[in-house]
């Protein structure tokens, strides 16, 4: 059985929705490596049973990306425009961190997003920042 993890990221916290398409659970943790590792330790089963999706948020999703990939999870980055598009198509047009995490998990089932292999994108971001600072 596959479990799906959708993460809405902000600078200080992660709103996480975990589901196996039958039932879901919501969590809110600090956006720190320590808190992310503690959350990963609470997950049962093999990391290969999980697929993690996160909205691309500049640098704020990088800690989660590193922690999950280093722990052996399949990790995808989602364009935030897709999340906004889904929210705008709902009747209530509500936007909360919890609903964003659920929508990210829904988009996972629609095969949206880009799979991240290793921490290559983190290195790429560091090089871009370095190049900008040098200029």
């Amino acid at each position: 059985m596959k479990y799906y993890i959708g993460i809405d990221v902000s600078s200080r916290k992660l709103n996480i929705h975990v589901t196996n398409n039958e039932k879901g659970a919501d969590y809110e943790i600090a956006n720190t490596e320590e808190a992310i590792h503690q959350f990963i330790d609470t997950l049962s089963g093999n990391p290969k049973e999980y697929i993690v999706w996160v909205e691309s948020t500049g640098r704020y999703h990088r800690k989660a990306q590193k922690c999950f990939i280093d722990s052996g999870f399949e990790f995808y980055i989602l364009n935030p425009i897709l999340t906004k598009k889904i929210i705008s198509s709902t009747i209530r047009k509500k936007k909360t961190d919890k609903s964003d995490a659920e929508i990210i998990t829904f988009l996972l089932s629609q095969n949206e997003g880009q799979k991240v292999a290793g921490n290559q994108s983190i290195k790429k971001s560091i090089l871009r920042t370095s190049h900008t600072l040098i200029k």
Side-chain angles (χ1 to χ4, degrees):
M1 175 185 303
K2 280 285 190 186
Y3 292 90
Y4 305 102
I5 301 175
I7 304 174
D8 182 58
V9 179
S10 70
S11 62
R12 295 181 187 221
K13 65 180 180 170
L14 303 177
N15 285 87
I16 303 171
H17 183 74
V18 181
T19 184
N20 62 1
N21 283 336
E22 294 175 13
K23 61 181 182 172
D26 295 303
Y27 305 89
E28 185 176 298
I29 64 171
N31 190 358
T32 65
E33 287 189 32
E34 180 181 339
I36 296 166
H37 282 296
Q38 286 175 353
F39 173 76
I40 289 171
D41 290 342
T42 66
L43 298 173
S44 61
N46 186 330
K48 301 293 182 203
E49 296 174 348
Y50 293 85
I51 302 175
V52 181
W53 288 62
V54 65
E55 240 182 356
S56 176
T57 56
R59 68 180 189 264
Y60 298 123
H61 72 272
R62 302 284 188 213
K63 290 177 197 162
Q65 177 182 339
K66 181 181 182 324
C67 293
F68 278 100
I69 289 175
D70 289 350
S71 297
F73 289 81
E74 191 172 343
F75 194 89
Y76 289 80
I77 294 179
L78 182 66
N79 187 328
I81 293 171
L82 292 173
T83 310
K84 290 176 187 166
K85 185 176 177 183
I86 295 292
I87 291 168
S88 68
S89 69
T90 62
I91 294 172
R92 293 189 179 133
K93 295 179 178 34
K94 65 177 183 165
K95 181 173 177 5
T96 65
D97 294 334
K98 181 180 171 186
S99 66
D100 282 0
E102 290 174 11
I103 288 168
I104 291 167
T105 307
F106 167 75
L107 289 169
L108 167 93
S109 69
Q110 304 298 309
N111 296 318
E112 296 290 347
Q114 176 183 3
K115 185 174 183 179
V116 177
N119 287 308
Q120 204 62 18
S121 63
I122 293 173
K123 293 174 186 173
K124 187 176 172 182
S125 176
I126 291 170
L127 285 172
R128 283 184 182 159
T129 303
S130 170
H131 188 264
T132 303
L133 290 172
I134 291 169
K135 279 185 176 181

